[in-house]
Amino acid sequence: MMPQGTHTVDVPLDIQTIWNFVHDMNNWAPLVPGYIEHEILSDRRSTWAFKGDLGFMKKTVKLQIDIQEWNEPSEVTFDLKGLSDNFKGGGYFRAEAIDDKTTKMSGHLDITAGGMMGAMVNQILTKFVPQTAEELTEAIVEKLLEINLVK
Amino acid sequence: MSSSIPTHWDKEVDVIVLGTGGAALTAAVAASESGANVLVLEKTHQIGGTTAFSGGVPWIPLNHYMKEAGFEDNREDAINYIKRLALGRADDHMIETFVDKGHEVIRFLHDHTPVKFVTPKSYPEYYARMDEALKHGTRSLDPAPYDLNEIGEWGPLVRQNPLFPPLTLEEGGAVGGIDFQVVAERMQNNIVTMGRSLIASLFKACLDRGVETLIETAGKELIINEDGQVVGLIAETKVGEVLRIAARKGVVLASGGFEWNKQLVRAFLKAEFTHPVTPPGNEGDALMMAMKAGAALENMSEAWWYPAMVDPTFEYEDNVMAQLGSGRMGPNSIVVNKYGRRFVHEGTTYNDMPRSFFNYDPVKIEFPNEAPVWMIFDQQLKDSQLIVTMTPGDPAPEWVDQADSIRELAEKIGVDPDGLEDEVRKWNEYCEQGVDPDFHRGTIQFEALTNGGGSPANNLGKIEKGPFYALPIYLGALGTNGGPKINENGQVVNFRGEPIKGLYAAGNASGNPLGPIYPSAGGTIGPAMVFGFLAGQHAANS
Ligand SMILES: Cc1cc2nc3c(=O)[nH]c(=O)nc-3n(C[C@H](O)[C@H](O)[C@H](O)COP(=O)(O)OP(=O)(O)OC[C@H]3O[C@@H](n4cnc5c(N)ncnc54)[C@H](O)[C@@H]3O)c2cc1C
């Protein structure tokens, strides 16, 4: 079982505007639900700390993100792995121009726990991961609209 | 908010029960079974209280599940055992009531409600090596797995149990050896065990009997008539709506202890404990209501103590979650105070071990073992046991202090390095000799409960392989257990020993009728359910 989730939204902005925002992690890192801090280690590598809300409890985790690809203007893909806990996965942001004023934007996340408790943790993550993918994508869209529409 | 008799009631019922833990729901079942119209009020947004959060195990002498499993028990032994542990601090009459009525309550629940148990055959009594103890089998009962879907929309409201996966005690839910695949399947299918099973099945029994439950509605004040009889209650909803509710037959205080009320903790307990292991909500509301009604109090300086540990990366309802921790009785580990000295048999029961934190040194004028104290262990233990949330094989997390030498470790955690080095040297010598003359590790049942009991092989292991680790142990509790004194009907009595009419208490909202004891797994929920049942029954028939 691989806990994963993709969330797609039509954004009333052109694809380049979206790319300009999404390609730089510093722009959207604070929008990750439960964000605590992040540190850019190189142009591809960063470490993150956030507090995940699992519903019945909250868990602080540290993880490392390695950007795999930047395909301007349509895709950023990354791998992730837990530094504090045993899990790994990846994700992407994808943008697809519908017309020159509208873009379909998708955020995807998959995280799989390993180790002795893996099966149990993955069961918990089946709800958490899609929810986080949705919340993050929505938060990015909201921010994009805030910056670009409300002047 | 006034507690004088109102001219108009917002609601009128026979019996009001405060709380939705084990004591409360058993009281509600018993009262409605006896024909009463029952209203249950729960302060928080979830049902089940600490009971849902717990192992859900009641300890009940002479229960029929034991008999079916072939375990012999007898009344005299059970009574003598409780008396031995209570050290003269419980009424014989209450002990006898518990022993005589407990198995009847369990039988009733089994025959007439979905509340079912199994006997955890491989889970012996905590003090099995004492002369007075049951030698074979157990009086503890393990809630059978239960389908949460049975209670429909109430299912998601049953408080989650973040500490125990959905396994029975026997399956290893509390003691390790866990099959995480089974856990995952149960989670997927909404099958609950332990405290959640007990609460969900008791709640179903309430639903089947038409008991009404209001959540986010706290009992605030008792309404008492001029004859001193409790005739109702003022409750308040989360949004501040005040309800005046008449209770024609009685009010059962079953709203847990006072562990989350700092003022009451300071006023009554021997030390201010910093780490309640319970969900927030138990703030001593019942105690304050009972004191105002003139109740006698008992067992007030006691709690169900627990040496709590913490993985600071877990939070429950905005507090860092205190954990039960584990590993403290394993080999390759000792517990020391700030002088780096051992001060207690590390593997004694969780209720007993923290009592040593209260020792007073009248020369130095201090409590030398005041928490936090430190569990010191080595890589061998780290590699072989689950310690708090650290699984063997995974790298040690940031929140665990570690060092390559004992001295360096002591300096890191602010413990006397000479003392700790000397203590570890001594411990390693004892391990070589296979005997701990200081505190008798390796000799009692509890320190290797499901592994044949304490022995040098199970519990004496050198601390010699670095890196060395240290974890703080805090004074925690599974709830307080002092409160209004009750009689054999669960009625609250005043200081003259007379019942306060219409007022009942059970569970951690009452003084524990068995005194300051935790006889084995289920030692708190056992009396909570039994006296909850008796209270509900008596109220309904009054
Ligand atoms: C992790 C853990 C494991 C444990 N395992 C076991 C075990 O297996 N066996 C055992 O015997 N003991 C166990 N214990 C201890 C046991 O859970 C408690 O002692 C017991 O559940 C207390 O039951 P109760 O019904 O008195 O109170 P609770 O279950 O705490 O219920 C009290 C309820 O009252 C509500 N309330 C509070 N104030 C008000 C108010 N003013 N109005 C209305 N409602 C109110 C609370 O929100 C709560 O829901 C464990 C404890 C913990 C923390």
Side-chain angles (χ1 to χ4, degrees), chain B residues 191-234:
Chain B
I191 303 298
V192 293
T193 60
M194 297 200 164
R196 300 190 79 210
S197 161
L198 179 61
I199 289 301
S201 56
L202 277 170
F203 199 78
K204 177 75 168 93
C206 288
L207 289 177
D208 290 346
R209 287 164 177 75
V211 171
E212 186 188 358
T213 301
L214 300 178
I215 60 166
E216 297 188 318
T217 307
K220 287 279 175 186
E221 278 202 50
L222 296 170
I223 299 174
I224 302 175
N225 70 15
E226 63 269 23
D227 298 333
Q229 179 174 351
V230 173
V231 293
L233 177 105
I234 299 181

Side-chain angles (χ1 to χ4, degrees), chain B residues 18-24 41-44 46 48-51 53-58 163-164 217-219 254-256 277-278 280-283 285 289 304 324 478 506-509 518 521-526 528:
Chain B
L18 292 193
T20 51
L41 302 181
E42 167 56 49
K43 180 174 173 170
T44 67
Q46 288 173 312
T50 313
T51 311
F53 203 80
S54 80
V57 173
L163 296 174
F164 300 137
T217 307
S255 49
V277 192
T278 67
N282 296 343
E283 295 170 306
D285 298 348
M289 284 185 251
W304 314 111
L324 300 186
L478 306 177
N508 293 354
Y518 204 124
T524 96
I525 294 176

Side-chain angles (χ1 to χ4, degrees), chain B residues 325-472:
Chain B
S326 46
R328 115 181 109 86
M329 58 226 20
N332 326 104
S333 83
I334 54 175
V335 175
V336 300
N337 62 16
K338 64 181 174 183
Y339 297 111
R341 296 295 175 185
R342 293 178 69 209
F343 56 92
V344 66
H345 182 312
E346 294 86 345
T348 41
T349 73
Y350 42 83
N351 190 47
D352 290 340
M353 189 266 195
R355 289 167 193 248
S356 60
F357 296 2
F358 312 134
N359 289 355
Y360 180 67
D361 182 334
V363 175
K364 287 190 177 151
I365 315 292
E366 65 166 14
F367 296 96
N369 312 329
E370 198 171 30
V373 293
W374 294 89
M375 173 177 156
I376 307 292
F377 57 104
D378 79 352
Q379 186 64 33
Q380 300 175 85
L381 191 75
K382 165 85 188 61
D383 285 340
S384 60
Q385 291 198 11
L386 178 74
I387 301 168
V388 193
T389 53
M390 282 184 280
T391 46
D394 281 346
E398 268 175 8
W399 46 267
V400 184
D401 284 302
Q402 55 172 300
D404 289 331
S405 73
I406 291 290
R407 188 162 199 90
E408 203 190 321
L409 185 67
E411 280 160 0
K412 224 175 190 174
I413 61 175
V415 157
D416 178 5
D418 292 335
L420 186 60
E421 270 187 338
D422 188 51
E423 202 64 37
V424 169
R425 182 195 50 75
K426 211 159 43 148
W427 169 254
N428 288 344
E429 268 174 36
Y430 293 167
C431 292
E432 227 156 69
Q433 292 153 12
V435 49
D436 166 22
D438 291 347
F439 296 102
H440 314 289
R441 275 277 285 281
T443 63
I444 64 166
Q445 188 67 38
F446 190 76
E447 58 188 317
L449 192 63
T450 55
N451 193 19
S455 66
N458 281 336
N459 305 95
L460 301 187
K462 286 187 186 177
I463 301 172
E464 58 182 356
K465 185 175 174 212
F468 302 99
Y469 301 92
L471 272 175

